[in-house]
Amino acid sequence: VVALDGNLNDDWSYETYAVYGETKLEQENFNNLIRKNFAQSFDAVKDGNGSIVCRDAAARAAGCVPTSVFGYGAVNPAASAWFNTNSRSTSTIKQEVVNASVANSALFELPAGMVGFAAGTEFRHEQSDSTPDAFAATGATFLNALQEEHGKFNVKEAFAEITAPIVSDLFLVQDLTMDAAIRVADYSSTGNATSWKTGLDWTLNDEIRVRSTYSVALRAPN
């Protein structure tokens, strides 16, 4: 994060920042069952010499080790090595944000007080890449056959908000303030989206305050 803020003059302040974030995940699943190999290992018979072997001749030639699943310690390490594998997947998530805004808490004066204003712009870029274990992705193992996923989008936004005191120091109205805000966004994936809100902040006295807001908010799918 790199940020800079300060005052342009006695009335206007500014804030700007840039953010870069990256998360890398490496996941390894130990002893992921290979379905076909387990079936071959479990399908055991006696050969002509009375030895227990895998029934499938091709599997025997490939190194199949017979096993039983009944009883403590029935699965020996050699059989386990035949029908288990370690599956490794990786994923990376990246985000970049650049934001700049200005604000003035005393834009001009109304009979009930000063009007506040703020506006700014923002750019955001999101990217996600997921690469599952190539063998597990075939569906040959116990894990779900997840496939590669790669996606990204960016959004450009502009926003503004205003706070205006309407009346003050009346019967049952210590302060009555209106606020409004709008945010216009342009998503690379879905196009334009406009979100806005308007509301009232009514202070009856030092003990009671009522707020009411009506808003419409839109977000694009990731």
Side-chain angles (χ1 to χ4, degrees):
V1 181
V2 178
L4 183 67
D5 61 78
N7 296 312
L8 298 171
N9 53 39
D10 291 339
D11 300 319
W12 289 92
S13 62
Y14 70 91
E15 180 182 28
T16 181
Y17 61 83
V19 178
Y20 178 81
E22 182 173 324
T23 298
K24 288 187 175 182
L25 173 66
E26 296 181 0
Q27 177 175 314
E28 188 159 3
N29 292 86
F30 295 96
N31 298 319
N32 182 18
L33 186 74
I34 305 171
R35 299 176 188 272
K36 181 179 179 181
N37 288 20
F38 178 71
Q40 292 169 339
S41 181
F42 186 61
D43 184 15
V45 295
K46 288 185 177 181
D47 63 8
N49 300 319
S51 301
I52 299 176
V53 296
C54 298
R55 183 193 302 270
D56 190 319
R60 290 200 304 272
C64 178
V65 179
T67 190
S68 170
V69 294
F70 301 105
Y72 178 77
V75 179
N76 62 63
S80 178
W82 165 252
F83 57 72
N84 283 331
T85 185
N86 294 342
S87 300
R88 186 172 183 270
S89 60
T90 62
S91 59
T92 304
I93 302 171
K94 297 179 181 179
Q95 182 186 65
E96 301 164 17
V97 182
V98 179
N99 180 293
S101 62
V102 294
N104 188 331
S105 59
L107 187 63
F108 58 88
E109 188 174 6
L110 294 177
M114 292 291 187
V115 174
F117 175 79
T121 184
E122 181 173 290
F123 174 81
R124 183 163 51 93
H125 178 263
E126 306 274 1
Q127 181 174 336
S128 175
D129 297 285
S130 177
T131 305
D133 183 88
F135 183 61
T138 65
T141 72
F142 177 78
L143 292 181
N144 291 330
L146 301 177
Q147 303 303 304
E148 283 194 39
E149 291 183 346
H150 303 278
K152 61 182 179 180
F153 71 92
N154 63 70
V155 55
K156 307 177 190 73
E157 297 181 296
F159 54 89
E161 56 185 276
I162 191 169
T163 300
I166 301 174
V167 294
S168 63
D169 299 326
L170 299 178
F171 177 67
L172 292 181
V173 183
Q174 183 172 314
D175 289 294
L176 181 62
T177 303
M178 182 200 76
D179 60 83
I182 186 170
R183 179 178 287 259
V184 179
D186 179 16
Y187 287 86
S188 62
S189 54
T190 58
N192 295 330
T194 300
S195 301
W196 59 272
K197 77 157 193 172
T198 183
L200 289 174
D201 189 340
W202 173 22
T203 303
L204 284 79
N205 50 47
D206 291 340
E207 287 78 32
I208 301 176
R209 189 178 192 182
V210 179
R211 292 182 179 181
S212 176
T213 301
Y214 184 83
S215 64
V216 173
L218 300 175
R219 290 291 183 270
N222 63 25

